[in-house]
């Protein structure tokens, strides 16, 4: 039976040049490299230059993803940017990326699910493609998250960084085993009752200011471990798979201890877990496509590999997705 699905055919990423080390942070606030590494696994983060905007990061990552996918700009008919730090309140950052690329077909819009944003955007694009409304989608996670940090609050400002990652999805009419290639399934959840454990104390409608990140770290940690654990199980069960079938876990990079806890729960060896939190810190919606791109570029993730994505963030919003990489013809 023929079934329309989304293939993930290329990815790319971009990190701002400037690197801010834990040691530099420790000169400005009451913290230490040792505390940050021991509690989070973070050694450094990238910070966007003055005047460098989320759309600039998104555009650079998109160009690299299109090049990797060997796709021309004229083929794109959907652009989704997952971001919590858009250039402006409106228009959508995705429309700036569209203009920057010189793309004119189809729709461009933003998705807001904080750190789960990329998984949400991937699910939206996958459903557009499966429904036949789009054929070639650019899905981007991009953040200048350091712009919404309170640099006096040591409990949050040490955790985040800036960056962008992008993937290209392509519609494909395949036949045979549905676990063959492309996005096998996505699973999204949110629970607005937990808003107060992770939020920004500003917005165009509430205060008229951008606001800063507020977080009850321990509570978020507790929810992250249980909710990510169950959405991983949900994704595997929906496809009749077990953790042993997974070639790579590409988790949201929020905390090394949360990543290790997911790997332990799945009984996955560390080598199968893509971790770049030490160098990137938490880049919110950009973290999953940044990690994915790194592992594709260094040759760990290859054609035909089964990859599991997961992420959780403010909302609370969380989700997971299972993807078999590449083109059926090349596997
Ligand atoms: N340097 C030194 N000490 C610090 C720092 C710091 N940067 N930050 C906090 N502390 C102190 C606290 O003041 C506290 O001191 P006290 O015991 O004297 O009161 C002590 O360290 C312990 O603080 P906790 O907050 O209890 O530390 P915890 O072990 O919970 O680690 C952390 C904090 C790293 C934030 C952890 O809770 C965490 O990772 N939570 C989850 C974050 C997450 O997953 N976010 C995902 C989504 S993000 C998004 O969507 C935007």
């Amino acid at each position: 039976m023929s079934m329309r699905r989304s293939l993930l055919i290329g990815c790319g990423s971009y990190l701002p040049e400037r690197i801010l080390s834990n040691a530099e942070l420790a000169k400005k606030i009451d913290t230490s490299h040792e505390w940050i590494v021991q509690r989070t696994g973070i050694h450094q983060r990238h910070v966007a230059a003055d005047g460098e905007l989320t759309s600039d990061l998104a555009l650079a990552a998109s160009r690299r993803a299109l090049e990797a996918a060997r796709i021309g700009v004229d083929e794109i008919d959907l652009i989704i940017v997952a971001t919590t730090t858009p250039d402006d309140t409106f228009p959508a950052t995705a429309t700036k990326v569209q203009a920057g690329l010189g793309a004119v077909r189809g729709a461009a819009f933003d998705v807001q699910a904080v750190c789960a944003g990329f998984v949400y955007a991937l699910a939206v694009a996958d459903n557009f493609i499966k429904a036949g409304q789009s054929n070639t989608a650019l899905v981007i996670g991009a953040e200048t998250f350091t712009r919404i940090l309170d640099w006096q609050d040591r409990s949050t400002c040490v955790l985040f960084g800036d960056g962008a990652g992008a993937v290209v999805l392509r519609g494909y009419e395949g036949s045979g085993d549905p676990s063959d290639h492309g996005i096998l399934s996505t699973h999204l959840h949110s629970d607005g009752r937990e808003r107060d454990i992770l939020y920004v104390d500003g917005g165009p409608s509430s205060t008229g200011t951008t606001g800063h990140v507020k977080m009850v770290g321990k509570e978020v940690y507790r929810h992250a471990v249980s909710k990510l654990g169950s959405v991983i199980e949900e994704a595997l069960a929906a496809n009749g798979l077990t953790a042993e079938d997974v070639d790579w876990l590409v988790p949201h990079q929020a905390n090394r201890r949360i990543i290790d806890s997911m790997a332990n729960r799945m009984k996955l060896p560390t080598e199968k877990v893509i971790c770049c939190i030490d160098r990137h810190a938490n880049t919110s919606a950009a973290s999953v496509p940044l990690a994915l791109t790194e592992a594709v570029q260094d040759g760990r993730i290859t054609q035909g590999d089964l990859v599991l994505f997961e992420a959780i963030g403010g909302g609370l919003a969380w989700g997971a997705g299972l993807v078999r990489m590449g083109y059926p013809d090349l596997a």
Side-chain angles (χ1 to χ4, degrees), residues 213-243:
V213 174
K214 303 282 166 197
M215 179 165 78
V216 185
K218 268 203 193 322
E219 276 298 294
V220 176
Y221 190 100
R222 193 174 61 79
H223 282 285
V225 170
S226 78
K227 289 181 164 52
L228 291 174
S230 51
V231 79
I232 286 172
E233 278 165 21
E234 182 186 326
L236 292 171
N239 293 283
L241 297 168
T242 68

Side-chain angles (χ1 to χ4, degrees), residues 307-319:
V307 176
L308 175 62
F309 301 124
E310 48 86 328
I312 184 165
L316 294 176
W318 67 101

Side-chain angles (χ1 to χ4, degrees), residues 31 35 39 114-115 145 154 198 217-218 254-255 257-258 313-314:
T31 189
W35 190 96
R39 300 286 173 129
V114 202
C115 297
F145 213 86
R154 67 177 182 169
L198 182 51
K218 268 203 193 322
N255 186 314
R257 289 183 292 149
I258 297 175

Side-chain angles (χ1 to χ4, degrees), residues 141-186:
E143 303 278 15
T144 47
F145 213 86
T146 59
R147 304 243 159 93
I148 56 168
L149 297 176
D150 173 357
W151 289 99
Q152 303 308 313
D153 176 8
R154 67 177 182 169
S155 70
T156 52
C157 77
V158 302
L159 304 174
F160 297 93
D162 300 333
V167 302
V168 179
L169 300 183
R170 187 95 200 218
Y172 172 79
E173 301 283 341
S175 58
D177 181 354
S179 71
D180 265 345
H181 273 90
I183 299 183
L184 308 191
S185 65
T186 55

